Amino acid sequence: MVQTLEDHLEAAYGVVLARNPGESEFHQAVHEVLESLAPVVTKHPRYAEGSVIERLCEPERQVIFRVPWTDDSGRVRINRGFRVEFNSALGPYKGGLRFHPSVNLSIVKFLGFEQVFKNALTGLPIGGGKGGSDFDPKGRSDGEIMRFCQSFMTELYRHIGEYTDVPAGDIGVGGREIGYLFGQYKRITNRYESGVLTGKAIAYGGSQVRTEATGYGAVFFTREMLATKGLELAGRRVIVSGSGNVAIYAAQKAQELGAEVVACSDSNGYVVDEDGLDLALLRQIKEVERGRVADYADRRPKAKHHAGGSVWEVDCEVALPCATQNELDGAAARTLADNGVLAVAEGANMPCTPEAVAVWRDRGVLFGPGKAANAGGVATSALEMQQNASRDSWHFDHTEARLDQIMVDVHTRCAEAAEEYGAPGDYVVGANISGFVQVADAVLALGVI
């Protein structure tokens, strides 16, 4: 794979491999960006001369720390916390916190690297970062989660701030966790610094639409991709992977735009409901009862639960992978393409493997990469920061309209960059180039720092 890059890009990638051994997810994310940049560096040699690529591949700061906490039985537990502050050329570091057993430095760095370009694509003044812990909130009591969050923030607080680094939620970090984290930050600092965290509840400085934003944004981006082919989302058969925040609100917006959403999944299998997903029931099960999609099938007579297997076996016209990285591989992509899929948009971060992306290109499937298609979440976080800075709050409709326009602009940036550099319709190329150029120009403007 590396030999397809231009010499300077190959050398930069070689440094990444040598400097970050064993970090396969990070390697994958860097390669996916670098393989798009040869025409940019050829046209603008200042990026190579200024070692911009090397600078962008090295995080500005990486923080790893111990998180001790006590469970309900009184046993002391130890987890590991991370915050990778990747690039702040465009603004304060911005990116979520993920609490999941799979979290390690490679995953946090891949997410932070992607976040840099995703945030640039929004056109808003935010840099890129990411963080989290290998703590698993599943099965933990509210008290255990509170004590973990308080311990996590007791270390993290010294590295963040509304002008420095602004975390948000991600997998395993929702409104409950953000509340505990913000409360501990406020307690330690004695400051009501609303803008230090986003994804807060409306009652204490949160933004309307933030909960829905990533899922809504992915659907808005899908709508724009389909429109380039003279197609509409209305009437299309849609499946989503996952059944968490992103998946539920992607399904909701797709339904509002007239699509038929028939399947979703979790780690124990997937459910198909040919009558269309009952999102009120799904939200009750997943968000209130914290149950499984199998419980959904038990309450919907025509719904069928498939233990194991893959949701990508379900035929559809639009696929929205909204679960986790590398969940959709080449074999699944070929199945979807054989079943007539027209468009795929990544609601999650890098859910499609490189082999799957190759299938989309070969088969002419419209494909929205995560750094573009799921930028709605961080865009609305930036809108929350705006409201906090001005001590203001906006109505739902106003905020959703802002989000919709941002996603239209993201699509336009990607499409125009792909066209300019000889890859019309290739949103991977367009997103990588458009995001890179904006950050690279800022890096050069700020000098060698």
Side-chain angles (χ1 to χ4, degrees):
M1 294 170 67
V2 178
Q3 62 267 26
T4 64
L5 304 176
E6 295 291 331
D7 290 345
H8 39 269
L9 297 174
E10 181 178 343
Y13 186 62
V15 171
V16 170
L17 294 178
R19 189 170 281 164
N20 306 277
E23 298 179 0
S24 58
E25 293 88 357
F26 180 49
H27 300 164
Q28 179 183 340
V30 172
H31 189 276
E32 189 267 334
V33 171
L34 295 191
E35 68 178 352
S36 301
L37 298 184
V40 184
V41 176
T42 300
K43 184 175 180 180
H44 303 289
R46 66 181 182 276
Y47 298 136
E49 293 164 1
S51 298
V52 171
I53 291 166
E54 290 84 350
R55 286 195 257 173
L56 287 178
C57 291
E58 183 65 23
E60 293 176 8
R61 190 173 293 106
Q62 303 178 62
V63 182
I64 303 176
F65 52 95
R66 182 178 64 197
V67 188
W69 57 283
T70 307
D71 67 19
D72 287 342
S73 68
R75 178 182 172 186
V76 175
R77 303 275 186 165
I78 303 296
N79 286 97
R80 180 173 289 177
F82 303 88
R83 189 65 182 175
V84 174
E85 296 173 332
F86 222 107
N87 189 280
S88 58
L90 295 177
Y93 308 105
K94 187 81 192 78
L97 297 170
R98 175 177 294 192
F99 292 169
H100 191 273
S102 67
V103 169
N104 57 37
L105 186 58
S106 175
I107 287 176
V108 174
K109 284 165 71 174
F110 121 63
L111 292 168
F113 183 77
E114 288 273 297
Q115 199 78 49
V116 172
F117 305 105
K118 178 191 301 184
N119 294 0
L121 282 171
T122 69
L124 300 169
I126 44 178
K130 206 74 177 185
S133 173
D134 56 3
F135 171 74
D136 188 356
K138 284 184 180 177
R140 293 294 176 186
S141 70
D142 282 353
E144 289 175 322
I145 290 172
M146 181 184 71
R147 290 192 292 276
F148 173 82
C149 288
Q150 289 174 340
S151 181
F152 184 87
M153 183 54 78
T154 298
E155 173 60 31
L156 184 67
Y157 90 94
R158 68 190 77 238
H159 305 291
I160 63 176
E162 61 182 333
Y163 299 110
T164 305
D165 185 354
V166 183
D170 193 77
I171 294 172
V173 180
R176 172 181 56 178
E177 290 76 17
I178 292 293
Y180 293 148
L181 291 165
F182 181 73
Q184 185 71 352
Y185 181 88
K186 173 178 166 297
R187 179 186 187 186
I188 292 170
T189 64
N190 195 33
R191 295 195 302 269
Y192 205 103
E193 192 177 326
S194 298
V196 72
L197 286 166
T198 59
K200 302 182 295 297
I202 301 298
Y204 65 99
S207 173
Q208 300 276 6
V209 191
R210 179 61 190 90
T211 303
E212 300 86 353
T214 306
Y216 278 20
V219 174
F220 291 147
F221 194 90
T222 303
R223 179 197 64 199
E224 296 302 304
M225 288 197 300
L226 289 169
T228 65
K229 304 295 183 182
L231 304 173
E232 294 183 350
L233 194 57
R236 302 292 171 193
R237 182 178 169 90
V238 176
I239 61 174
V240 300
S241 67
S243 49
N245 176 277
V246 179
I248 286 173
Y249 291 106
Q252 181 189 82
K253 183 53 61 177
Q255 286 184 347
E256 289 178 6
L257 295 180
E260 300 174 1
V261 185
V262 298
C264 66
S265 64
D266 63 18
S267 57
N268 292 339
Y270 66 96
V271 65
V272 179
D273 188 343
E274 293 294 348
D275 287 340
L277 292 180
D278 181 337
L279 294 182
L281 175 59
L282 185 62
R283 288 183 61 187
Q284 171 66 25
I285 290 169
K286 299 300 292 188
E287 297 180 353
V288 179
E289 301 172 17
R290 301 188 183 276
R292 314 300 291 167
V293 295
D295 301 327
Y296 175 94
D298 290 341
R299 302 188 205 178
R300 289 276 285 183
K302 294 184 181 179
K304 295 182 179 179
H305 180 254
H306 301 261
S310 169
V311 71
W312 310 123
E313 298 166 3
V314 181
D315 63 290
C316 65
E317 295 170 284
V318 174
L320 302 174
C322 296
T324 191
Q325 68 267 9
N326 292 326
E327 60 169 295
L328 200 167
D329 59 17
R334 285 187 288 274
T335 298
L336 284 166
D338 290 342
N339 287 338
V341 72
L342 299 171
V344 178
E346 293 186 320
N349 291 302
M350 206 169 71
C352 297
T353 67
E355 293 74 22
V357 176
V359 172
W360 309 140
R361 284 173 166 151
D362 292 343
R363 302 289 286 272
V365 176
L366 293 165
F367 173 60
K371 64 173 60 69
N374 70 37
V378 74
T380 306
S381 281
L383 299 182
E384 183 174 335
M385 291 167 66
Q386 287 185 27
Q387 294 168 79
N388 293 157
S390 62
R391 299 292 191 268
D392 197 4
S393 62
W394 303 340
H395 296 301
F396 190 99
D397 290 346
H398 173 74
T399 310
E400 184 180 354
R402 289 287 307 272
L403 169 64
D404 194 344
Q405 186 57 56
I406 288 169
M407 295 309 299
V408 170
D409 292 344
V410 170
H411 177 271
T412 299
R413 289 188 186 96
C414 294
E416 290 180 349
E419 184 79 30
E420 178 182 351
Y421 287 92
D426 190 327
Y427 293 98
V428 174
V429 170
N432 288 338
I433 290 177
S434 181
F436 169 80
V437 168
Q438 184 159 355
V439 180
D441 286 344
V443 166
L444 288 174
L446 296 179
V448 180
I449 57 171

